[in-house]
Amino acid sequence: MISYLDFEKPVAQLEERITQLRDVNALHDVDVAQEIARLEAKSTELLASTYASLTPWQKTQVARHPQRPHFRDYVAHAFSDFMPLGGDRLYADDLAIMGGFATLNGRRVMLIGHEKGNDTQSRIRHNFGMGKPEGYRKAIRLMELAGRFGLPVVTLVDTSGAFPGIEAEERGQAEAIARATEACLALPVPMVAAIVGEGGSGGAVALASANRVLMMEHAVYSVISPEGCASILWRTSEKAADAAQAMKVTAQHLKRDNVIDRIVKEPVGGAQRDPVAAARLLGQALTEEIDLLSGSTDEALIAQREERFLAIGG
């Protein structure tokens, strides 16, 4: 069962009516096929028109949808032969950031990303995708390993931000994020990052300082959450929608400002309606981007990353 967001209520009402008609048809042998077909066409059209005109705040809600695919879903449907690697060799393993060897359309890569979890138990286990210092240090270890073996690095970013707890600060959260960003920029191999849900603050940038940065069509990417921005500017989170509009958090805004390089289309109604199709679309886009970078020298890849990020805001 799909969970409907507030702005999807008209679609939910239509689909509920379709379900009722199907039940009538099954129980009473009444021919309502034409009416069902008419309502299905109307529902599809309404869903498409709704998602074609989402506001930044509505896109934020879609990016946070509880049924939206996360790291493990993309591993299952876009990659193969995933071999997870754990631990930072310094403190512990952080399940909010996962990674390991994987195969993408026949090419061996190092895959790293945030995992939020898909139910209460797994969300707690993965800390809602909020990485701790040991998670970012694990990412550094895996990036350095990829550099030694000459493997392209692919990152899937989906976090509201790095974990802000006192224990993370005690273990050097800011330093770990900075070192992870530095490791991205210094990689001697191609690196492609994809913002697949939320891209929040330095916790996202630490895995997204890549040669090419992609965003799913309904993902968001910002220095702070809309609620956090609204709380600072207006002393209330109720103005989150205004903050989202002002911050230009959407893929469409960020593509125009050259913060990202490519927007990956999602199935109609968002990736949560068809995670398998969304994963395949992303996998194809990642493959194309790696192919474009594969002929570059180590020096050219490092220089391109430097030029790319220095040009933002210029």
Side-chain angles (χ1 to χ4, degrees), residues 57 224-244:
W57 177 239
I224 190 173
S225 70
E227 296 93 331
C229 178
S231 295
I232 292 170
L233 293 181
W234 295 292
R235 299 289 189 267
T236 174
S237 61
E238 293 180 2
K239 286 188 173 287
D242 295 329

Side-chain angles (χ1 to χ4, degrees), residues 81-117:
D81 304 321
F82 180 60
M83 181 185 296
L85 299 172
D88 65 346
R89 302 296 188 268
L90 294 170
Y91 180 76
D93 190 24
D94 179 15
L95 295 181
I97 297 177
M98 302 182 70
F101 297 113
T103 301
L104 174 63
N105 290 326
R107 186 194 296 272
R108 203 67 170 148
V109 300
M110 180 64 78
L111 178 63
I112 306 168
H114 298 95
E115 172 57 55
K116 285 185 171 181

Side-chain angles (χ1 to χ4, degrees), residues 35-307:
E35 179 64 9
I36 290 174
R38 185 186 71 81
L39 289 177
E40 284 178 336
K42 186 177 180 181
S43 175
T44 300
E45 182 181 349
L46 180 59
L47 185 66
S49 63
T50 298
Y51 271 76
S53 57
L54 294 180
T55 67
W57 177 239
Q58 288 170 336
K59 281 185 178 285
T60 303
Q61 293 175 293
V62 174
R64 297 171 176 173
H65 196 288
Q67 292 170 318
R68 194 170 177 85
H70 300 303
F71 181 84
R72 290 183 299 173
D73 301 301
Y74 287 109
V75 168
H77 301 300
F79 298 84
S80 59
D81 304 321
F82 180 60
M83 181 185 296
L85 299 172
D88 65 346
R89 302 296 188 268
L90 294 170
Y91 180 76
D93 190 24
D94 179 15
L95 295 181
I97 297 177
M98 302 182 70
F101 297 113
T103 301
L104 174 63
N105 290 326
R107 186 194 296 272
R108 203 67 170 148
V109 300
M110 180 64 78
L111 178 63
I112 306 168
H114 298 95
E115 172 57 55
K116 285 185 171 181
N118 54 16
D119 56 30
T120 301
Q121 188 175 10
S122 64
R123 286 171 188 144
I124 293 171
R125 185 168 64 252
H126 293 284
N127 201 33
F128 299 87
M130 295 185 293
K132 297 176 182 178
E134 50 270 26
Y136 291 103
R137 291 181 179 124
K138 173 170 66 176
I140 294 168
R141 184 173 73 83
L142 299 187
M143 284 188 268
E144 291 175 346
L145 189 62
R148 287 199 295 275
F149 284 105
L151 297 176
V153 174
V154 174
T155 59
L156 306 181
V157 177
D158 188 12
T159 181
S160 58
F163 182 59
I166 189 169
E167 62 269 35
E169 297 299 331
E170 289 172 343
R171 295 198 294 274
Q173 182 73 290
E175 185 268 349
I177 290 172
R179 293 293 185 188
T181 306
E182 180 184 43
C184 291
L185 295 172
L187 270 173
V189 294
M191 180 177 182
V192 180
I195 315 298
V196 296
E198 286 185 278
S201 193
V205 173
L207 297 186
S209 298
N211 294 101
R212 299 283 290 176
V213 180
L214 284 55
M215 275 185 77
M216 297 298 284
E217 183 181 3
H218 302 304
V220 293
Y221 192 19
S222 61
V223 70
I224 190 173
S225 70
E227 296 93 331
C229 178
S231 295
I232 292 170
L233 293 181
W234 295 292
R235 299 289 189 267
T236 174
S237 61
E238 293 180 2
K239 286 188 173 287
D242 295 329
Q245 183 70 43
M247 288 195 298
K248 296 181 170 58
V249 300
T250 70
Q252 293 72 26
H253 280 126
L254 296 170
K255 178 66 172 65
R256 284 196 294 269
D257 292 339
N258 296 317
V259 175
I260 66 164
D261 303 294
R262 177 172 177 173
I263 298 173
V264 181
K265 291 286 290 182
E266 295 188 24
V268 175
Q272 69 274 7
R273 284 183 170 264
D274 193 344
V276 175
R280 288 174 179 165
L281 288 167
L282 178 61
Q284 184 58 42
L286 291 168
T287 300
E288 292 170 4
E289 296 296 338
I290 293 173
D291 287 343
L292 288 173
L293 296 168
S294 60
S296 301
T297 64
D298 299 357
E299 294 79 9
L301 290 167
I302 294 170
Q304 187 268 340
R305 271 184 228 118
E306 181 179 352
E307 292 167 5

